[in-house]
Amino acid sequence: MKITGKHIYLKPITVNDSKFIFNLRKIKKISLYLNNPPKKLSDQIVWVKKNITNEKTLDFLICDKNNNKKIGTIGFNDINKSNSIAEWGRWICTGTTLQNIESAITLLDYGFNKLKFKKIYSLTNSKNKKVLNFHKRTKAKFKGEIKNKYIISGKRISAFNYEFDKGKFLNFKKRFNLMIESIR
């Protein structure tokens, strides 16, 4: 299965992607915001194997459509089929701004239109200003703060919860597509 956008595509992760994911998560400016990144490649392999078989997660690699280069990860977690809701996250993308935004839109579009989720939320490290600003610009609904959600470098960090329903998502997607068209 491949989920295709204009500039990127998403493909399910495999155990063979463990080293790429491990190296991505070790990048200093990224690891600052991650809850317990693996310390060894073997830990990452165990994590990938577990997630591949977990029906409550769906993890993807983000790949550049032009050269098939792996540029990031994104996925759904805590999938609740009975309530048609899921958390989206694990969003780490080293592509261009366009590719980064398109990766989120592609995943959310898949979640609302193929998986038929009614709501998709994101829990973001309260210190990750770049991603929090992204959520604000998308007009996702702020649902509150979860105190002490993560432990990062031995410190308790809160998470901010932002949520999309399909209508809010479609408005964001439309604004993004208009922006892309104006660039051309």
Side-chain angles (χ1 to χ4, degrees), residues 3 7-13 20 24 59-65 68-75 89-95 99-104 106-107:
I3 307 165
H7 305 280
I8 58 95
Y9 64 89
L10 307 178
K11 68 179 193 103
I13 63 169
F20 168 76
L24 188 64
D59 289 296
F60 298 96
L61 282 184
I62 305 165
C63 300
D64 185 312
K65 197 171 173 183
N68 296 316
K69 180 181 174 191
K70 298 173 188 177
I71 59 172
T73 62
I74 196 166
R90 298 191 182 105
W91 186 35
I92 303 170
C93 193
T94 60
Q99 290 171 319
N100 296 349
I101 296 170
E102 188 183 29
S103 68
T106 302
L107 181 78

PDB file of all heavy atoms in Angstrom, residues 3 7-13 20 24 59-65 68-75 89-95 99-104 106-107:
ATOM      1  N   ILE A   3       0.307   5.577  -0.135  1.00  0.00           N
ATOM      2  CA  ILE A   3      -0.624   6.703  -0.130  1.00  0.00           C
ATOM      3  C   ILE A   3       0.116   7.870  -0.766  1.00  0.00           C
ATOM      4  O   ILE A   3       1.122   8.337  -0.237  1.00  0.00           O
ATOM      5  CB  ILE A   3      -1.072   7.039   1.302  1.00  0.00           C
ATOM      6  CG1 ILE A   3      -1.612   5.797   2.005  1.00  0.00           C
ATOM      7  CG2 ILE A   3      -2.103   8.151   1.281  1.00  0.00           C
ATOM      8  CD1 ILE A   3      -1.732   5.951   3.502  1.00  0.00           C
ATOM      9  N   HIS A   7       3.821  15.610  -3.939  1.00  0.00           N
ATOM     10  CA  HIS A   7       5.273  15.705  -3.793  1.00  0.00           C
ATOM     11  C   HIS A   7       5.873  14.612  -2.912  1.00  0.00           C
ATOM     12  O   HIS A   7       7.086  14.438  -2.896  1.00  0.00           O
ATOM     13  CB  HIS A   7       5.653  17.075  -3.216  1.00  0.00           C
ATOM     14  CG  HIS A   7       5.111  18.199  -4.029  1.00  0.00           C
ATOM     15  ND1 HIS A   7       5.697  18.638  -5.183  1.00  0.00           N
ATOM     16  CD2 HIS A   7       3.988  18.959  -3.867  1.00  0.00           C
ATOM     17  CE1 HIS A   7       4.981  19.622  -5.692  1.00  0.00           C
ATOM     18  NE2 HIS A   7       3.943  19.835  -4.915  1.00  0.00           N
ATOM     19  N   ILE A   8       5.023  13.916  -2.189  1.00  0.00           N
ATOM     20  CA  ILE A   8       5.489  12.856  -1.275  1.00  0.00           C
ATOM     21  C   ILE A   8       4.572  11.654  -1.421  1.00  0.00           C
ATOM     22  O   ILE A   8       3.499  11.736  -2.020  1.00  0.00           O
ATOM     23  CB  ILE A   8       5.503  13.303   0.207  1.00  0.00           C
ATOM     24  CG1 ILE A   8       4.106  13.772   0.688  1.00  0.00           C
ATOM     25  CG2 ILE A   8       6.509  14.418   0.430  1.00  0.00           C
ATOM     26  CD1 ILE A   8       3.294  12.729   1.357  1.00  0.00           C
ATOM     27  N   TYR A   9       5.016  10.547  -0.856  1.00  0.00           N
ATOM     28  CA  TYR A   9       4.105   9.423  -0.653  1.00  0.00           C
ATOM     29  C   TYR A   9       4.424   8.805   0.701  1.00  0.00           C
ATOM     30  O   TYR A   9       5.509   8.986   1.248  1.00  0.00           O
ATOM     31  CB  TYR A   9       4.168   8.396  -1.784  1.00  0.00           C
ATOM     32  CG  TYR A   9       5.488   7.680  -1.961  1.00  0.00           C
ATOM     33  CD1 TYR A   9       5.778   6.499  -1.273  1.00  0.00           C
ATOM     34  CD2 TYR A   9       6.447   8.177  -2.848  1.00  0.00           C
ATOM     35  CE1 TYR A   9       6.982   5.843  -1.451  1.00  0.00           C
ATOM     36  CE2 TYR A   9       7.654   7.515  -3.033  1.00  0.00           C
ATOM     37  CZ  TYR A   9       7.915   6.355  -2.329  1.00  0.00           C
ATOM     38  OH  TYR A   9       9.112   5.700  -2.507  1.00  0.00           O
ATOM     39  N   LEU A  10       3.429   8.131   1.246  1.00  0.00           N
ATOM     40  CA  LEU A  10       3.565   7.440   2.520  1.00  0.00           C
ATOM     41  C   LEU A  10       3.532   5.951   2.255  1.00  0.00           C
ATOM     42  O   LEU A  10       2.713   5.476   1.464  1.00  0.00           O
ATOM     43  CB  LEU A  10       2.412   7.807   3.464  1.00  0.00           C
ATOM     44  CG  LEU A  10       2.139   9.290   3.707  1.00  0.00           C
ATOM     45  CD1 LEU A  10       0.939   9.461   4.637  1.00  0.00           C
ATOM     46  CD2 LEU A  10       3.353   9.990   4.266  1.00  0.00           C
ATOM     47  N   LYS A  11       4.437   5.214   2.894  1.00  0.00           N
ATOM     48  CA  LYS A  11       4.406   3.753   2.787  1.00  0.00           C
ATOM     49  C   LYS A  11       4.587   3.176   4.176  1.00  0.00           C
ATOM     50  O   LYS A  11       5.295   3.740   5.012  1.00  0.00           O
ATOM     51  CB  LYS A  11       5.452   3.242   1.813  1.00  0.00           C
ATOM     52  CG  LYS A  11       6.878   3.414   2.246  1.00  0.00           C
ATOM     53  CD  LYS A  11       7.829   2.838   1.195  1.00  0.00           C
ATOM     54  CE  LYS A  11       9.213   2.721   1.751  1.00  0.00           C
ATOM     55  NZ  LYS A  11       9.611   1.398   2.124  1.00  0.00           N
ATOM     56  N   PRO A  12       3.912   2.066   4.460  1.00  0.00           N
ATOM     57  CA  PRO A  12       4.022   1.472   5.794  1.00  0.00           C
ATOM     58  C   PRO A  12       5.478   1.145   6.141  1.00  0.00           C
ATOM     59  O   PRO A  12       6.252   0.720   5.279  1.00  0.00           O
ATOM     60  CB  PRO A  12       3.193   0.185   5.691  1.00  0.00           C
ATOM     61  CG  PRO A  12       2.243   0.448   4.563  1.00  0.00           C
ATOM     62  CD  PRO A  12       2.990   1.317   3.600  1.00  0.00           C
ATOM     63  N   ILE A  13       5.830   1.359   7.406  1.00  0.00           N
ATOM     64  CA  ILE A  13       7.188   1.038   7.833  1.00  0.00           C
ATOM     65  C   ILE A  13       7.370  -0.477   7.871  1.00  0.00           C
ATOM     66  O   ILE A  13       6.409  -1.227   8.031  1.00  0.00           O
ATOM     67  CB  ILE A  13       7.547   1.656   9.203  1.00  0.00           C
ATOM     68  CG1 ILE A  13       6.660   1.096  10.323  1.00  0.00           C
ATOM     69  CG2 ILE A  13       7.503   3.162   9.162  1.00  0.00           C
ATOM     70  CD1 ILE A  13       7.121   1.467  11.713  1.00  0.00           C
ATOM     71  N   PHE A  20      16.931   3.748   9.596  1.00  0.00           N
ATOM     72  CA  PHE A  20      16.589   5.104   9.165  1.00  0.00           C
ATOM     73  C   PHE A  20      15.832   5.833  10.281  1.00  0.00           C
ATOM     74  O   PHE A  20      16.153   6.978  10.615  1.00  0.00           O
ATOM     75  CB  PHE A  20      15.739   5.084   7.883  1.00  0.00           C
ATOM     76  CG  PHE A  20      15.139   6.418   7.566  1.00  0.00           C
ATOM     77  CD1 PHE A  20      15.913   7.435   7.022  1.00  0.00           C
ATOM     78  CD2 PHE A  20      13.797   6.681   7.845  1.00  0.00           C
ATOM     79  CE1 PHE A  20      15.360   8.686   6.761  1.00  0.00           C
ATOM     80  CE2 PHE A  20      13.239   7.919   7.589  1.00  0.00           C
ATOM     81  CZ  PHE A  20      14.025   8.921   7.040  1.00  0.00           C
ATOM     82  N   LEU A  24      17.051   9.105  12.396  1.00  0.00           N
ATOM     83  CA  LEU A  24      16.206  10.293  12.349  1.00  0.00           C
ATOM     84  C   LEU A  24      15.906  10.782  13.771  1.00  0.00           C
ATOM     85  O   LEU A  24      15.997  11.975  14.067  1.00  0.00           O
ATOM     86  CB  LEU A  24      14.901   9.947  11.616  1.00  0.00           C
ATOM     87  CG  LEU A  24      13.934  11.045  11.266  1.00  0.00           C
ATOM     88  CD1 LEU A  24      14.571  12.008  10.266  1.00  0.00           C
ATOM     89  CD2 LEU A  24      12.674  10.446  10.663  1.00  0.00           C
ATOM     90  N   ASP A  59       1.958   3.111  11.164  1.00  0.00           N
ATOM     91  CA  ASP A  59       3.118   3.989  10.981  1.00  0.00           C
ATOM     92  C   ASP A  59       3.599   3.960   9.542  1.00  0.00           C
ATOM     93  O   ASP A  59       3.631   2.895   8.908  1.00  0.00           O
ATOM     94  CB  ASP A  59       4.257   3.548  11.910  1.00  0.00           C
ATOM     95  CG  ASP A  59       3.950   3.851  13.357  1.00  0.00           C
ATOM     96  OD1 ASP A  59       3.831   5.033  13.690  1.00  0.00           O
ATOM     97  OD2 ASP A  59       3.818   2.895  14.153  1.00  0.00           O
ATOM     98  N   PHE A  60       3.998   5.134   9.053  1.00  0.00           N
ATOM     99  CA  PHE A  60       4.436   5.282   7.671  1.00  0.00           C
ATOM    100  C   PHE A  60       5.785   5.984   7.593  1.00  0.00           C
ATOM    101  O   PHE A  60       6.119   6.802   8.441  1.00  0.00           O
ATOM    102  CB  PHE A  60       3.435   6.146   6.888  1.00  0.00           C
ATOM    103  CG  PHE A  60       2.068   5.562   6.791  1.00  0.00           C
ATOM    104  CD1 PHE A  60       1.076   5.929   7.685  1.00  0.00           C
ATOM    105  CD2 PHE A  60       1.760   4.634   5.801  1.00  0.00           C
ATOM    106  CE1 PHE A  60      -0.196   5.403   7.608  1.00  0.00           C
ATOM    107  CE2 PHE A  60       0.486   4.104   5.710  1.00  0.00           C
ATOM    108  CZ  PHE A  60      -0.497   4.483   6.609  1.00  0.00           C
ATOM    109  N   LEU A  61       6.496   5.670   6.518  1.00  0.00           N
ATOM    110  CA  LEU A  61       7.643   6.479   6.118  1.00  0.00           C
ATOM    111  C   LEU A  61       7.118   7.538   5.179  1.00  0.00           C
ATOM    112  O   LEU A  61       6.196   7.293   4.396  1.00  0.00           O
ATOM    113  CB  LEU A  61       8.662   5.638   5.345  1.00  0.00           C
ATOM    114  CG  LEU A  61       9.567   4.735   6.144  1.00  0.00           C
ATOM    115  CD1 LEU A  61      10.560   4.063   5.216  1.00  0.00           C
ATOM    116  CD2 LEU A  61      10.315   5.489   7.218  1.00  0.00           C
ATOM    117  N   ILE A  62       7.711   8.713   5.244  1.00  0.00           N
ATOM    118  CA  ILE A  62       7.424   9.781   4.281  1.00  0.00           C
ATOM    119  C   ILE A  62       8.561   9.724   3.267  1.00  0.00           C
ATOM    120  O   ILE A  62       9.734   9.756   3.647  1.00  0.00           O
ATOM    121  CB  ILE A  62       7.392  11.163   4.962  1.00  0.00           C
ATOM    122  CG1 ILE A  62       6.385  11.179   6.129  1.00  0.00           C
ATOM    123  CG2 ILE A  62       7.070  12.256   3.931  1.00  0.00           C
ATOM    124  CD1 ILE A  62       6.551  12.372   7.061  1.00  0.00           C
ATOM    125  N   CYS A  63       8.210   9.627   1.992  1.00  0.00           N
ATOM    126  CA  CYS A  63       9.220   9.523   0.938  1.00  0.00           C
ATOM    127  C   CYS A  63       9.010  10.611  -0.098  1.00  0.00           C
ATOM    128  O   CYS A  63       7.871  10.963  -0.436  1.00  0.00           O
ATOM    129  CB  CYS A  63       9.146   8.157   0.253  1.00  0.00           C
ATOM    130  SG  CYS A  63       9.423   6.773   1.383  1.00  0.00           S
ATOM    131  N   ASP A  64      10.123  11.139  -0.614  1.00  0.00           N
ATOM    132  CA  ASP A  64      10.104  12.128  -1.684  1.00  0.00           C
ATOM    133  C   ASP A  64       9.651  11.423  -2.957  1.00  0.00           C
ATOM    134  O   ASP A  64      10.236  10.420  -3.371  1.00  0.00           O
ATOM    135  CB  ASP A  64      11.516  12.702  -1.855  1.00  0.00           C
ATOM    136  CG  ASP A  64      11.578  13.831  -2.859  1.00  0.00           C
ATOM    137  OD1 ASP A  64      11.029  13.682  -3.976  1.00  0.00           O
ATOM    138  OD2 ASP A  64      12.193  14.859  -2.543  1.00  0.00           O
ATOM    139  N   LYS A  65       8.618  11.934  -3.574  1.00  0.00           N
ATOM    140  CA  LYS A  65       8.043  11.293  -4.767  1.00  0.00           C
ATOM    141  C   LYS A  65       8.984  11.337  -5.963  1.00  0.00           C
ATOM    142  O   LYS A  65       8.958  10.452  -6.815  1.00  0.00           O
ATOM    143  CB  LYS A  65       6.713  11.972  -5.104  1.00  0.00           C
ATOM    144  CG  LYS A  65       5.828  11.191  -6.016  1.00  0.00           C
ATOM    145  CD  LYS A  65       4.475  11.874  -6.091  1.00  0.00           C
ATOM    146  CE  LYS A  65       3.605  11.234  -7.132  1.00  0.00           C
ATOM    147  NZ  LYS A  65       2.323  11.930  -7.246  1.00  0.00           N
ATOM    148  N   ASN A  68      12.322   8.946  -4.407  1.00  0.00           N
ATOM    149  CA  ASN A  68      12.043   7.840  -3.475  1.00  0.00           C
ATOM    150  C   ASN A  68      12.876   7.888  -2.194  1.00  0.00           C
ATOM    151  O   ASN A  68      12.926   6.907  -1.453  1.00  0.00           O
ATOM    152  CB  ASN A  68      12.220   6.476  -4.156  1.00  0.00           C
ATOM    153  CG  ASN A  68      11.236   6.288  -5.269  1.00  0.00           C
ATOM    154  OD1 ASN A  68      10.054   6.595  -5.130  1.00  0.00           O
ATOM    155  ND2 ASN A  68      11.709   5.804  -6.405  1.00  0.00           N
ATOM    156  N   LYS A  69      13.521   9.017  -1.921  1.00  0.00           N
ATOM    157  CA  LYS A  69      14.335   9.157  -0.712  1.00  0.00           C
ATOM    158  C   LYS A  69      13.431   9.217   0.515  1.00  0.00           C
ATOM    159  O   LYS A  69      12.412   9.919   0.537  1.00  0.00           O
ATOM    160  CB  LYS A  69      15.171  10.435  -0.802  1.00  0.00           C
ATOM    161  CG  LYS A  69      16.048  10.683   0.393  1.00  0.00           C
ATOM    162  CD  LYS A  69      16.827  11.986   0.243  1.00  0.00           C
ATOM    163  CE  LYS A  69      17.572  12.273   1.536  1.00  0.00           C
ATOM    164  NZ  LYS A  69      18.128  13.617   1.552  1.00  0.00           N
ATOM    165  N   LYS A  70      13.800   8.487   1.558  1.00  0.00           N
ATOM    166  CA  LYS A  70      13.082   8.531   2.832  1.00  0.00           C
ATOM    167  C   LYS A  70      13.387   9.879   3.493  1.00  0.00           C
ATOM    168  O   LYS A  70      14.552  10.235   3.655  1.00  0.00           O
ATOM    169  CB  LYS A  70      13.555   7.407   3.750  1.00  0.00           C
ATOM    170  CG  LYS A  70      13.314   6.024   3.208  1.00  0.00           C
ATOM    171  CD  LYS A  70      13.978   4.985   4.109  1.00  0.00           C
ATOM    172  CE  LYS A  70      13.918   3.608   3.505  1.00  0.00           C
ATOM    173  NZ  LYS A  70      14.619   2.609   4.340  1.00  0.00           N
ATOM    174  N   ILE A  71      12.324  10.607   3.866  1.00  0.00           N
ATOM    175  CA  ILE A  71      12.528  11.921   4.483  1.00  0.00           C
ATOM    176  C   ILE A  71      11.857  12.063   5.837  1.00  0.00           C
ATOM    177  O   ILE A  71      11.991  13.101   6.483  1.00  0.00           O
ATOM    178  CB  ILE A  71      12.092  13.067   3.545  1.00  0.00           C
ATOM    179  CG1 ILE A  71      10.618  12.946   3.175  1.00  0.00           C
ATOM    180  CG2 ILE A  71      12.985  13.134   2.314  1.00  0.00           C
ATOM    181  CD1 ILE A  71      10.064  14.137   2.401  1.00  0.00           C
ATOM    182  N   GLY A  72      11.146  11.032   6.299  1.00  0.00           N
ATOM    183  CA  GLY A  72      10.522  11.175   7.603  1.00  0.00           C
ATOM    184  C   GLY A  72       9.590  10.049   7.977  1.00  0.00           C
ATOM    185  O   GLY A  72       9.503   9.027   7.283  1.00  0.00           O
ATOM    186  N   THR A  73       8.888  10.277   9.088  1.00  0.00           N
ATOM    187  CA  THR A  73       7.902   9.329   9.603  1.00  0.00           C
ATOM    188  C   THR A  73       6.646  10.076  10.029  1.00  0.00           C
ATOM    189  O   THR A  73       6.688  11.263  10.361  1.00  0.00           O
ATOM    190  CB  THR A  73       8.433   8.567  10.839  1.00  0.00           C
ATOM    191  OG1 THR A  73       8.692   9.500  11.893  1.00  0.00           O
ATOM    192  CG2 THR A  73       9.685   7.782  10.522  1.00  0.00           C
ATOM    193  N   ILE A  74       5.542   9.359  10.010  1.00  0.00           N
ATOM    194  CA  ILE A  74       4.254   9.903  10.455  1.00  0.00           C
ATOM    195  C   ILE A  74       3.333   8.713  10.680  1.00  0.00           C
ATOM    196  O   ILE A  74       3.557   7.647  10.091  1.00  0.00           O
ATOM    197  CB  ILE A  74       3.682  10.883   9.404  1.00  0.00           C
ATOM    198  CG1 ILE A  74       2.570  11.755   9.987  1.00  0.00           C
ATOM    199  CG2 ILE A  74       3.244  10.155   8.135  1.00  0.00           C
ATOM    200  CD1 ILE A  74       2.195  12.960   9.120  1.00  0.00           C
ATOM    201  N   GLY A  75       2.331   8.870  11.512  1.00  0.00           N
ATOM    202  CA  GLY A  75       1.431   7.743  11.700  1.00  0.00           C
ATOM    203  C   GLY A  75       0.266   8.027  12.623  1.00  0.00           C
ATOM    204  O   GLY A  75       0.128   9.122  13.159  1.00  0.00           O
ATOM    205  N   GLY A  89       0.586  11.442  14.808  1.00  0.00           N
ATOM    206  CA  GLY A  89       1.833  11.954  15.347  1.00  0.00           C
ATOM    207  C   GLY A  89       3.014  11.186  14.799  1.00  0.00           C
ATOM    208  O   GLY A  89       2.972  10.687  13.682  1.00  0.00           O
ATOM    209  N   ARG A  90       4.062  11.108  15.634  1.00  0.00           N
ATOM    210  CA  ARG A  90       5.327  10.514  15.199  1.00  0.00           C
ATOM    211  C   ARG A  90       5.797  11.215  13.927  1.00  0.00           C
ATOM    212  O   ARG A  90       6.410  10.629  13.055  1.00  0.00           O
ATOM    213  CB  ARG A  90       5.195   9.016  14.982  1.00  0.00           C
ATOM    214  CG  ARG A  90       4.834   8.282  16.243  1.00  0.00           C
ATOM    215  CD  ARG A  90       4.992   6.793  16.033  1.00  0.00           C
ATOM    216  NE  ARG A  90       4.607   6.077  17.220  1.00  0.00           N
ATOM    217  CZ  ARG A  90       3.473   5.403  17.343  1.00  0.00           C
ATOM    218  NH1 ARG A  90       2.628   5.328  16.357  1.00  0.00           N
ATOM    219  NH2 ARG A  90       3.201   4.788  18.457  1.00  0.00           N
ATOM    220  N   TRP A  91       5.452  12.496  13.863  1.00  0.00           N
ATOM    221  CA  TRP A  91       5.687  13.299  12.666  1.00  0.00           C
ATOM    222  C   TRP A  91       7.072  13.914  12.745  1.00  0.00           C
ATOM    223  O   TRP A  91       7.287  14.883  13.455  1.00  0.00           O
ATOM    224  CB  TRP A  91       4.601  14.360  12.567  1.00  0.00           C
ATOM    225  CG  TRP A  91       4.594  15.186  11.338  1.00  0.00           C
ATOM    226  CD1 TRP A  91       4.922  14.809  10.074  1.00  0.00           C
ATOM    227  CD2 TRP A  91       4.189  16.552  11.240  1.00  0.00           C
ATOM    228  NE1 TRP A  91       4.746  15.844   9.198  1.00  0.00           N
ATOM    229  CE2 TRP A  91       4.299  16.931   9.897  1.00  0.00           C
ATOM    230  CE3 TRP A  91       3.749  17.476  12.169  1.00  0.00           C
ATOM    231  CZ2 TRP A  91       3.981  18.210   9.450  1.00  0.00           C
ATOM    232  CZ3 TRP A  91       3.427  18.746  11.720  1.00  0.00           C
ATOM    233  CH2 TRP A  91       3.545  19.100  10.375  1.00  0.00           C
ATOM    234  N   ILE A  92       7.972  13.323  12.015  1.00  0.00           N
ATOM    235  CA  ILE A  92       9.330  13.845  11.894  1.00  0.00           C
ATOM    236  C   ILE A  92       9.617  13.893  10.406  1.00  0.00           C
ATOM    237  O   ILE A  92       9.612  12.853   9.733  1.00  0.00           O
ATOM    238  CB  ILE A  92      10.364  12.926  12.583  1.00  0.00           C
ATOM    239  CG1 ILE A  92      10.032  12.715  14.057  1.00  0.00           C
ATOM    240  CG2 ILE A  92      11.770  13.493  12.423  1.00  0.00           C
ATOM    241  CD1 ILE A  92      10.868  11.630  14.731  1.00  0.00           C
ATOM    242  N   CYS A  93       9.831  15.077   9.868  1.00  0.00           N
ATOM    243  CA  CYS A  93      10.061  15.186   8.428  1.00  0.00           C
ATOM    244  C   CYS A  93      11.199  16.161   8.155  1.00  0.00           C
ATOM    245  O   CYS A  93      11.185  17.290   8.641  1.00  0.00           O
ATOM    246  CB  CYS A  93       8.794  15.629   7.714  1.00  0.00           C
ATOM    247  SG  CYS A  93       8.872  15.421   5.924  1.00  0.00           S
ATOM    248  N   THR A  94      12.172  15.700   7.397  1.00  0.00           N
ATOM    249  CA  THR A  94      13.330  16.523   7.055  1.00  0.00           C
ATOM    250  C   THR A  94      13.250  17.042   5.628  1.00  0.00           C
ATOM    251  O   THR A  94      14.243  17.505   5.085  1.00  0.00           O
ATOM    252  CB  THR A  94      14.632  15.716   7.239  1.00  0.00           C
ATOM    253  OG1 THR A  94      14.592  14.567   6.383  1.00  0.00           O
ATOM    254  CG2 THR A  94      14.813  15.274   8.680  1.00  0.00           C
ATOM    255  N   GLY A  95      12.067  16.970   5.048  1.00  0.00           N
ATOM    256  CA  GLY A  95      11.886  17.460   3.686  1.00  0.00           C
ATOM    257  C   GLY A  95      11.712  18.971   3.653  1.00  0.00           C
ATOM    258  O   GLY A  95      11.971  19.674   4.633  1.00  0.00           O
ATOM    259  N   GLN A  99       6.785  19.604   1.528  1.00  0.00           N
ATOM    260  CA  GLN A  99       6.692  18.163   1.787  1.00  0.00           C
ATOM    261  C   GLN A  99       6.228  17.892   3.212  1.00  0.00           C
ATOM    262  O   GLN A  99       5.432  16.970   3.443  1.00  0.00           O
ATOM    263  CB  GLN A  99       8.043  17.495   1.544  1.00  0.00           C
ATOM    264  CG  GLN A  99       8.436  17.441   0.077  1.00  0.00           C
ATOM    265  CD  GLN A  99       9.871  16.985  -0.108  1.00  0.00           C
ATOM    266  OE1 GLN A  99      10.766  17.377   0.637  1.00  0.00           O
ATOM    267  NE2 GLN A  99      10.087  16.156  -1.130  1.00  0.00           N
ATOM    268  N   ASN A 100       6.721  18.666   4.159  1.00  0.00           N
ATOM    269  CA  ASN A 100       6.325  18.481   5.557  1.00  0.00           C
ATOM    270  C   ASN A 100       4.817  18.659   5.717  1.00  0.00           C
ATOM    271  O   ASN A 100       4.147  17.810   6.310  1.00  0.00           O
ATOM    272  CB  ASN A 100       7.059  19.460   6.460  1.00  0.00           C
ATOM    273  CG  ASN A 100       8.557  19.247   6.489  1.00  0.00           C
ATOM    274  OD1 ASN A 100       9.077  18.252   5.996  1.00  0.00           O
ATOM    275  ND2 ASN A 100       9.266  20.195   7.058  1.00  0.00           N
ATOM    276  N   ILE A 101       4.292  19.757   5.201  1.00  0.00           N
ATOM    277  CA  ILE A 101       2.861  20.028   5.329  1.00  0.00           C
ATOM    278  C   ILE A 101       2.055  19.001   4.549  1.00  0.00           C
ATOM    279  O   ILE A 101       1.048  18.486   5.039  1.00  0.00           O
ATOM    280  CB  ILE A 101       2.526  21.464   4.879  1.00  0.00           C
ATOM    281  CG1 ILE A 101       3.205  22.462   5.815  1.00  0.00           C
ATOM    282  CG2 ILE A 101       1.014  21.689   4.859  1.00  0.00           C
ATOM    283  CD1 ILE A 101       3.149  23.903   5.342  1.00  0.00           C
ATOM    284  N   GLU A 102       2.515  18.678   3.342  1.00  0.00           N
ATOM    285  CA  GLU A 102       1.770  17.705   2.540  1.00  0.00           C
ATOM    286  C   GLU A 102       1.733  16.332   3.207  1.00  0.00           C
ATOM    287  O   GLU A 102       0.745  15.611   3.090  1.00  0.00           O
ATOM    288  CB  GLU A 102       2.351  17.589   1.131  1.00  0.00           C
ATOM    289  CG  GLU A 102       1.471  16.728   0.250  1.00  0.00           C
ATOM    290  CD  GLU A 102       1.996  16.497  -1.141  1.00  0.00           C
ATOM    291  OE1 GLU A 102       3.224  16.503  -1.328  1.00  0.00           O
ATOM    292  OE2 GLU A 102       1.161  16.291  -2.033  1.00  0.00           O
ATOM    293  N   SER A 103       2.782  15.972   3.932  1.00  0.00           N
ATOM    294  CA  SER A 103       2.763  14.672   4.608  1.00  0.00           C
ATOM    295  C   SER A 103       1.638  14.618   5.639  1.00  0.00           C
ATOM    296  O   SER A 103       0.941  13.603   5.760  1.00  0.00           O
ATOM    297  CB  SER A 103       4.115  14.365   5.247  1.00  0.00           C
ATOM    298  OG  SER A 103       4.410  15.229   6.327  1.00  0.00           O
ATOM    299  N   ALA A 104       1.436  15.714   6.378  1.00  0.00           N
ATOM    300  CA  ALA A 104       0.348  15.758   7.366  1.00  0.00           C
ATOM    301  C   ALA A 104      -1.005  15.714   6.662  1.00  0.00           C
ATOM    302  O   ALA A 104      -1.901  14.964   7.073  1.00  0.00           O
ATOM    303  CB  ALA A 104       0.468  17.018   8.219  1.00  0.00           C
ATOM    304  N   THR A 106      -1.725  14.465   3.730  1.00  0.00           N
ATOM    305  CA  THR A 106      -1.919  13.147   3.120  1.00  0.00           C
ATOM    306  C   THR A 106      -2.370  12.128   4.170  1.00  0.00           C
ATOM    307  O   THR A 106      -3.288  11.343   3.938  1.00  0.00           O
ATOM    308  CB  THR A 106      -0.628  12.687   2.411  1.00  0.00           C
ATOM    309  OG1 THR A 106      -0.278  13.669   1.425  1.00  0.00           O
ATOM    310  CG2 THR A 106      -0.800  11.341   1.740  1.00  0.00           C
ATOM    311  N   LEU A 107      -1.731  12.156   5.346  1.00  0.00           N
ATOM    312  CA  LEU A 107      -2.124  11.227   6.412  1.00  0.00           C
ATOM    313  C   LEU A 107      -3.542  11.524   6.899  1.00  0.00           C
ATOM    314  O   LEU A 107      -4.360  10.609   7.035  1.00  0.00           O
ATOM    315  CB  LEU A 107      -1.151  11.307   7.590  1.00  0.00           C
ATOM    316  CG  LEU A 107      -1.499  10.347   8.733  1.00  0.00           C
ATOM    317  CD1 LEU A 107      -1.072   8.926   8.395  1.00  0.00           C
ATOM    318  CD2 LEU A 107      -0.884  10.801  10.031  1.00  0.00           C
TER     319      LEU A 107
END
